Every structure is written in structure tokens, then in C-alpha cells.
Amino acid sequence: MPPLEPQRDRQLQRLLKRLGLPQPGAAQDLSPIDEALTHSSASMARNHEQLEFLGDAVLRLAAAEFLQQQHQQLAVGERSALRAQLVSDRWLSELAARLELQHEIQQGAAAASDAAAQATVRAECCEALIGAVYLVWGGPDGGLHAVRRWLDPHWQRSCKELAANPHQHNWKSALQEWSQGEHGRLPSYSTTEVDPSHGSPKRFRSQVHIQQELLGEGWGPSRRLAEQAAAQAALEQLKPQ
């Protein structure tokens, strides 16, 4: 691999400082970091995809280890549900946004101008960055420790938020639990595309029913998000006045 351009090297050094990681040695190769932050849409010889594959496995292991150490009181099923939140694309995208990772991501012009695609780009490159950090800091000989040093503070904050609001970002599961407890059946969703414009925040409309009764309606740029919005609206309606 050719050496990084000095400007890019300095940019990545500043990023690693923001992540709270120890500064790598002068001879340490930062090309995996650069690769992780080069999205496939940039059409470059090396891109994030290989490191995203590695990062997925490292992320899940690091989250499992974190929960094993920090939340031993939780049952295995509860830990699994919490881990699903801590490794989700939504969580990764929000972490990347908080770190302003978009300034370091190299991507194609079409992807950069597609507002609806940016959450996916952030999540993919953030997961790839996890794989890169694992490699740069020693792989099996210290890489997981570096990943934990970076991610643990963010997981601790997320766990506090979820403890205060267990169904945050997962309104469908909350409504399902209520419906099964009250009616012994699952809610049903009717979701239709109402605006074909890609990226429209109201591209899909979803209505949620229980026993033919309309409980909530919501909109979103995808079917999944529209259904979550409908479930959230239903739960708001069900709150005691």
C-alpha cells in the first residue's frame, strides 16, 4: 500500500484522538483506517466492505463482553435484546453522526447528495472502522481492548438511556407486548407507498390495527420506519390521560 497523503494522515490522527484512542506509533500503518472510511460508492480500488465484514464480528463480540461484565444481573434473553440495540445500524449511524464521521468518509458524489442514503453510509463505515481499529491495534493481541476503549463510554450512555426508556427506538416490540397481554394477539400493520420520491420522509404510510380497531398511523422513508412511527403513535394514544 502506498503511504497516505500527509493531509489525510493528519486528518485520521485527529479522528483517532476524538475516539479516545492512544496515538499510534510513527511506524503504525493507518491505511486500514483510511480503507474503512472509503465507501464503496467512491469507486476506489480499496473500500470499506472487507473491513465492515470484520467489524460486524468484532462489534458483536465486544458488545457481548461489555454486557457480560457490566450487566451480569440481566438474564441471557434480556442481554441479547439489549445487545441487538447496541449493535444496530441505527446505533452505529447515530454514533458516527455524534463523532461527525462524515467529514472523514470518502464517498461518491451521488451517495453524498442522497440525504436518505447517508444514515446507511455512516453505519457501514462506522462498522468498518471498528474492524480497522481492531487490526491497527493488534488484532487478537490487543485489538479488542482498543475497540472497547472507544465504544464502552458510548454503550454506557446508551444503556442508561434504554434503562429510562426500555422501548426507545423499538416501539413495535412494545406495542406487541401490550397487545399480547391485553388481547392475546399481535397487532397488524397496513403499509403503503404514498410518495415514490426516494428519500421522502413520508414515502410510506403505515396504519396499525388490533381487532380491526385503528390505533395509530405513521409515516417514514421506509416501511420499517413507517411501522415504527405507527406503533409509537399507538402507544401515545394508549397512555393514561
Side-chain angles (χ1 to χ4, degrees):
M1 288 291 294
L4 297 176
E5 293 290 335
Q7 183 178 356
R8 179 65 167 170
D9 185 79
R10 289 193 296 271
Q11 183 186 41
L12 297 180
Q13 294 277 4
R14 290 193 295 269
L15 168 64
L16 297 177
K17 186 175 181 179
R18 295 207 309 273
L19 300 187
L21 292 171
Q23 290 299 297
Q28 203 158 11
D29 181 15
L30 294 187
S31 60
I33 306 294
D34 179 58
E35 182 178 334
L37 297 174
T38 303
H39 192 259
S40 56
S41 63
S43 300
M44 298 178 71
R46 295 169 68 87
N47 60 55
H48 78 286
E49 291 178 343
Q50 295 294 327
L51 286 168
E52 183 186 5
F53 178 79
L54 174 63
D56 175 68
V58 173
L59 173 65
R60 291 176 180 277
L61 176 58
E65 191 177 87
F66 167 80
L67 292 170
Q68 178 72 19
Q69 294 173 357
Q70 301 293 324
H71 295 277
Q72 292 184 359
Q73 78 282 3
L74 296 178
V76 172
E78 293 174 315
R79 250 182 272 169
S80 294
L82 183 53
R83 184 179 66 172
Q85 296 258 37
L86 300 181
V87 303
S88 68
D89 287 348
R90 175 200 53 78
W91 189 87
L92 287 166
S93 180
E94 289 181 357
L95 173 62
R98 188 175 298 114
L99 296 169
E100 298 184 331
L101 208 60
Q102 67 272 14
H103 299 307
E104 284 78 30
I105 294 174
Q106 301 177 113
Q107 57 184 309
S113 63
D114 186 349
Q118 285 307 293
T120 299
V121 170
R122 289 196 305 267
E124 291 175 348
C125 287
C126 190
E127 194 165 51
L129 182 58
I130 291 167
V133 167
Y134 175 78
L135 288 181
V136 171
W137 270 269
D141 300 316
L144 193 63
H145 175 74
V147 170
R148 289 280 309 276
R149 178 169 176 168
W150 166 25
L151 296 182
D152 274 21
H154 299 284
W155 279 332
Q156 288 166 354
R157 183 189 61 254
S158 294
C159 285
K160 288 180 181 178
E161 292 173 353
L162 290 166
N165 184 2
H167 297 300
Q168 185 179 11
H169 307 300
N170 201 2
W171 309 107
K172 286 182 69 176
S173 292
L175 184 62
Q176 177 177 312
E177 290 178 13
W178 177 86
S179 180
Q180 286 181 313
E182 293 293 321
H183 299 285
R185 63 176 61 192
L186 296 175
S188 61
Y189 294 84
S190 174
T191 306
T192 56
E193 186 178 37
V194 294
D195 182 352
S197 303
H198 184 64
S200 168
K202 290 191 174 184
R203 182 177 180 182
F204 292 92
R205 180 178 64 193
S206 182
Q207 295 181 325
V208 58
H209 298 80
I210 298 177
Q211 293 181 323
Q212 307 302 316
E213 178 185 357
L214 175 63
L215 288 185
E217 185 174 48
W219 288 263
S222 68
R223 291 181 181 275
R224 180 180 62 83
L225 292 176
E227 289 175 0
Q228 287 283 3
Q232 182 179 4
L235 288 167
E236 290 293 331
Q237 291 291 330
L238 293 168
K239 281 183 179 179
Q241 300 301 316

